[in-house]
Amino acid sequence: MSNLYQIAIDGPAAAGKSTVAKLTAKRLGAFYVNTGEMYRTIAWASLKEGIDVVNAPEKVEAALKRWTMTFQNDGKGEIDIIFNGHPVVKAELRTAEVAMASSNVAKIPAVRTWMLQKQRDCRLLGTIIMEGRDICTVVLPDATAKFFITATPEERARRRFAQSGEIAPGATIQSVAAEIAERDRQDENRPIAPLKPSPDATVIFTDGMTPEQVTDKVIAVFKEKAQL
Ligand code: CDP
């Protein structure tokens, strides 16, 4: 591929976006960019500083003035997030507490403004597969191909439950389902950049599909759009 392309993927929590975006990036020799990790980093840093992200959003906003976030090619097709000069330990972002706090910080207008140009600048890395909640609608409105990847709430709870690192000790499939339902409710109902399918996105409903099947579909639509 000589030109640079952008593939944009949105969808609700635990829909399998990351798995598919990673597989797609590998198969196309492109870069995988997970914007959820960027919001999770802000949540993680806020929690570390003892900021109450629900009741004191102004403290998160004030902290943005002293925080820095840059991205670095990790040499393996993904990006490292460099937060305040240090690479973020991604495993520390995958806790239930950080997940819920990420949805709360993602509602703060100043956080979204702070993030937008940094995310758009990821286009400079090369051909990218970027996933999140507002990539098709806000971040990359001119993306080559756009997707909304989803699954039933039951299937998504099962998938998240199977990712052992991500769930709180003692969690049940019901409590995991409730957590992702609450996060989706918040993500869909916030006034700025809410989670919703872009009218020009291909919707892929993934119940009963393997990650490879979803990836095949993404690549087929992308090739058609890019006329490759
Ligand atoms: O991995 P999972 O689908 O559970 O979530 P994630 O993609 O890591 O995103 C964590 C949270 O960040 C979401 O619940 C959203 O509130 C927020 N987010 C967002 O607002 N906009 C994005 N482009 C990506 C994530």
Side-chain angles (χ1 to χ4, degrees), residues 9-12 15-17 20 147-151 202-204 206 214 218:
I9 301 178
D10 290 324
K17 301 183 300 292
V20 167
F147 299 90
F148 191 86
I149 292 184
T150 188
T202 300
V203 179
I204 310 180
T206 63
V214 182
V218 166

Side-chain angles (χ1 to χ4, degrees), residues 34-54:
N34 177 335
T35 61
E37 282 177 349
M38 302 174 188
Y39 290 95
R40 284 172 183 261
T41 298
I42 298 301
W44 168 85
S46 302
L47 294 172
K48 241 180 142 181
E49 291 198 9
I51 298 175
D52 179 340
V53 296
V54 176

